Amino acid sequence: LPRPKRRYPNLGFPMPNDWSLVALPDRYCHEAFVYRSEAEFLDQTLAFVRAGLAADELTFVVVESRKIEALRSALGAGAGSARFADIRQLASNPARILPAWLEFIAEHSGRALRGISEPMWSGRTPAEIVECQLHESLLNHAVPAATPLWLLCPYDGRALSEAVIDEARTIHPLVREGDTRGPSAVFRPERDAPAPWETPCPTPPKESATLDFSGTDDLSAVRAFVNANSQGWGFAPDKAAEIVVAVHEIVTNSLRHGGGSGTLRLWEDNGTFIGEVRDAGRIAEPMAGRIRPPVDAQSGRGLWIANQLCDLVQIRHDAEGNTVRLHVYADPSAA
């Protein structure tokens, strides 16, 4: 008699016997891969990519450049149609990762797809790690369940903290680690994706430059205020202009959707420009700033633009309203 098919809890698709090589047809599969050595990383990802290419599945690999070189070298002419992108160039800002995957899915609608995405590395700051975790959680919500995409997310168990690895197990429905592959025993399908928005950012320093604004007449003063401070902190004029645009967009959002007024604070922290905008509003859409707006959209561009111009954008809520904090790292060309 045939063995009954086992099913992942709450996921609604069968569990293959050797799912390191077998695709899950017509279903989205979001899997964490915890590795403990470079050899293990290469062995597992090569098997994953080769299986996808053998099945004529389009494959997109987004990892660090040195890992891309190792994979390409091992695949040789067998790399075929596989696409590669350096994660540090594509998505140094974690909010840029999700749109890359959604655009890959849209571009190849109807095709079976595979992907490898490693959003975290040892050099990520604590703030970046939180935004990476939000990104991974949002992937469970943003990709429809019927999408034929198998997405493998490697985590370096040597370089990342055990807390980060533990969180990966709760975010991903599937986990492979060592000799174990299958449903995560601690996956939280009911996980509230916007939960990190409730975690407060560190309090701004008392010496931060502060400007209250109310009404569009204040926008020119906001731009001048940001420009003077960013150039004073050593940013080149072109970069300072980008910072001005990013802050302008967030302040404009406050004026339109956040009660018509707010407070802007600027400070520098070890070479990083930080701009914080607080208002009485609340951004309810967890995908805000992570979905490319249509070319004919009349609104919804502010957070997207800020994410393209800044190294990190944090959105937080509390009882008093909404906070958007922009980070721009030191400009090496400005000396």
Side-chain angles (χ1 to χ4, degrees), residues 50-118:
R50 284 171 173 153
L53 293 172
D56 195 31
E57 298 171 352
L58 294 174
T59 303
F60 187 23
V61 180
V62 188
V63 296
E64 293 180 272
S65 59
R66 63 181 180 83
K67 293 179 178 177
I68 291 174
E69 292 173 4
L71 287 168
R72 278 181 164 156
S73 176
L75 289 166
S81 61
R83 181 189 304 181
F84 297 86
D86 183 349
I87 184 67
R88 291 178 184 259
Q89 292 185 5
L90 174 73
S92 56
N93 180 339
R96 299 177 195 156
I97 310 173
L98 181 60
W101 285 108
L102 294 181
E103 289 170 16
F104 174 68
I105 293 168
E107 180 183 353
H108 302 292
S109 177
R111 288 288 305 272
L113 307 172
R114 282 198 185 208
I116 299 177
S117 177
E118 187 169 16

Side-chain angles (χ1 to χ4, degrees), residues 181-244:
R181 298 181 182 130
S184 170
V186 292
F187 173 62
R188 301 198 303 269
E190 73 287 352
R191 176 186 170 88
D192 183 13
W197 289 18
E198 311 296 337
T199 304
C201 293
T203 303
K206 293 181 179 180
E207 63 272 18
S208 59
T210 304
L211 178 69
D212 294 323
F213 57 87
S214 60
T216 55
D217 290 343
D218 285 347
L219 284 174
S220 59
V222 166
R223 291 192 294 270
F225 179 70
V226 176
N227 185 62
N229 279 279
S230 57
Q231 290 204 41
W233 290 325
F235 286 94
D238 287 351
K239 192 63 181 180
E242 292 182 357
I243 295 172
V244 170

Side-chain angles (χ1 to χ4, degrees), residues 258-335:
S261 64
T263 299
L264 169 63
R265 291 184 175 87
L266 307 176
W267 67 94
E268 185 268 344
D269 182 13
N270 293 321
T272 298
F273 165 88
I274 301 179
E276 178 186 275
V277 179
R278 284 188 58 86
D279 59 42
R282 187 176 181 86
I283 300 173
E285 173 51 64
M287 307 291 181
R290 296 172 187 254
I291 304 295
R292 186 190 300 272
V295 293
D296 58 349
Q298 299 300 310
S299 62
R301 298 182 182 277
L303 281 167
W304 171 267
I305 291 172
N307 269 313
Q308 307 316 301
L309 297 177
C310 298
D311 295 294
L312 188 70
V313 176
Q314 297 171 292
I315 300 171
R316 297 293 185 269
H317 303 314
D318 58 29
E320 297 178 357
N322 193 71
T323 299
V324 178
R325 187 172 286 189
L326 311 177
H327 300 239
V328 179
Y329 302 149
D331 184 353
S333 66

Side-chain angles (χ1 to χ4, degrees), residues 29-46:
C29 175
H30 188 203
E31 173 192 357
F33 163 41
V34 181
Y35 63 93
R36 306 285 174 175
S37 70
E38 292 299 314
E40 184 183 11
F41 171 87
L42 193 60
D43 178 67
Q44 291 288 321
T45 53
L46 275 174

